[in-house]
Amino acid sequence: MNIDGVFAGGGAKAIAFIGALKAMEDRGYVFERLAGTSAGALFASLIHAGYSSAEIKLMLEKVDLEQFKDRKWPGSSCNVLSWLSVYFYLGLYKGDQLEKWVEEKLAAKGVRTFADMEPGSLRLVASDVSNNRFIILPDDLERYNEDKNRFSVAKAVRMSCALPYFYEPVRIGCPKEKQALVVDGGILSNFPMWLFKSKNKKKLERPVLGFQLSHDIDNGHSPKIRNAVDFYRSMFSTMRKAHDLRYISKKDAQNIVFISADEISATSFSEAQKRYEELIESGKHATSEFLKDGLWP
């Protein structure tokens, strides 16, 4: 059965999506259109390119996720240099290695630019902090005088994954002096179920299934704010969730697979690799449980 899929952001813990994809394959589901934010954008692009759960599992087993932490000054973890990277380049890591890896994997399946895909079949979310708006890729590229048919899918993934202060923002647009700074789509819409949501249910071409890396829609708890760090985390979390919650009701939860992975930080690459099999099993179990009674869609 053909369906549309939406994958939420979640950084390293998105490894759980491998298990979710495996469960979907076992039930015979095929994704027609895909959307995602941040790590969800990465998985959506790999699935759309034709990678199976087994192939993605194997490729991530072989890669050291720590390599995606590419510093401006290799070999140095000096606090001063780290601070300078954030201050002058707006990010601790460059993000070049992530884009290069994604580019190689997509090219192996014949995907380089959005012209290699059916129009509207892959949609990724990023945030334009220069103009205070979110970007839907490739739809909104014309705003920046960018040719969406020649735009690199790997670069779009990198834009969606550019976590503020962790990765440097991506600059896009012509002319150069009017380029916009683009960062992780998760700061504005971490779970873009709304991309495939139609006000007229009769116009809905296919069932839409979302994959979220949390216990439920709002995670079921309120954070304790005891200091400035807690305040920043809560503020950032609010930015990530507020827009999506406006468009996702309890009724919509019937079309969302909730995968428990909250205990792992989005940037804890080493921890995620240590718990690689556990994360995959979590994703597979949650999806299998969701589908087991045969009532969806």
Side-chain angles (χ1 to χ4, degrees), residues 12-257:
K13 60 188 177 183
I15 287 171
F17 289 148
I18 297 173
L21 178 58
K22 171 61 176 170
M24 296 299 289
E25 292 168 345
D26 290 345
R27 292 297 186 103
Y29 288 101
V30 177
F31 291 106
E32 186 83 7
R33 296 185 303 176
L34 286 148
T37 296
S38 197
L42 169 60
F43 271 85
S45 67
L46 292 175
I47 295 168
H48 189 282
Y51 280 101
S52 66
S53 60
E55 289 176 309
I56 297 175
K57 183 176 186 291
L58 183 61
M59 75 168 70
L60 288 181
E61 281 177 340
K62 291 181 177 180
V63 68
D64 178 7
L65 295 181
E66 290 292 322
Q67 77 179 52
F68 298 141
K69 294 181 178 180
D70 47 348
R71 292 180 178 274
K72 206 74 177 179
W73 296 281
S76 175
S77 58
C78 172
N79 289 335
V80 173
L81 291 180
S82 296
W83 184 87
L84 289 174
S85 291
V86 173
Y87 187 82
F88 288 107
Y89 300 102
L90 309 180
L92 187 58
Y93 306 107
K94 295 186 291 183
D96 292 346
Q97 289 301 314
L98 174 63
E99 181 177 348
K100 180 180 178 182
W101 183 84
V102 175
E103 186 176 44
E104 290 175 352
K105 299 309 176 185
L106 294 181
K109 293 287 188 178
V111 175
R112 292 175 176 80
T113 69
F114 282 99
D116 297 321
M117 300 178 168
E118 287 293 321
S121 60
L122 178 67
R123 305 174 81 189
L124 312 178
V125 176
S127 303
D128 175 358
V129 294
S130 298
N131 297 290
N132 309 123
R133 62 191 179 201
F134 58 72
I135 307 174
I136 301 171
L137 301 164
D139 307 34
D140 294 333
L141 286 170
E142 293 178 356
R143 288 182 178 180
Y144 304 89
N145 295 316
E146 297 276 4
D147 184 348
K148 64 181 181 181
N149 290 318
R150 299 177 63 183
F151 200 85
S152 165
V153 178
K155 185 173 183 178
V157 171
R158 175 182 176 179
M159 289 162 63
S160 187
C161 290
L163 185 67
Y165 298 122
F166 188 79
Y167 282 129
E168 295 177 18
V170 179
R171 299 175 185 270
I172 64 166
C174 298
K176 188 174 182 179
E177 58 270 17
K178 291 186 178 181
Q179 286 186 324
L181 293 178
V182 181
V183 299
D184 195 312
I187 69 172
L188 295 179
S189 182
N190 197 53
F191 187 41
M193 280 286 284
W194 50 272
L195 277 173
F196 294 146
K197 194 172 183 179
S198 174
K199 293 181 180 179
N200 186 345
K201 291 185 178 180
K202 292 182 179 180
K203 291 184 178 180
L204 197 63
E205 298 178 50
R206 286 167 297 278
V208 180
L209 184 61
F211 298 86
Q212 174 67 284
L213 293 165
S214 64
H215 295 294
D216 51 33
I217 291 177
D218 58 9
N219 289 333
H221 68 277
S222 298
K224 292 182 179 179
I225 301 176
R226 295 156 296 193
N227 51 49
V229 175
D230 291 338
F231 179 69
Y232 173 78
R233 288 174 177 167
S234 183
M235 183 171 60
F236 187 73
S237 179
T238 299
M239 289 190 293
R240 290 174 57 239
K241 297 175 184 177
H243 177 274
D244 296 333
L245 289 176
R246 182 178 179 182
Y247 292 92
I248 300 174
S249 65
K250 291 293 182 181
K251 185 177 180 181
D252 293 316
Q254 299 173 9
N255 297 311
I256 300 173
V257 176

Side-chain angles (χ1 to χ4, degrees), residues 1 27 29 254-255 289-297:
M1 180 180 184
R27 292 297 186 103
Y29 288 101
Q254 299 173 9
N255 297 311
E289 285 294 302
F290 179 88
L291 299 171
K292 71 176 183 180
D293 56 12
L295 298 179
W296 191 91

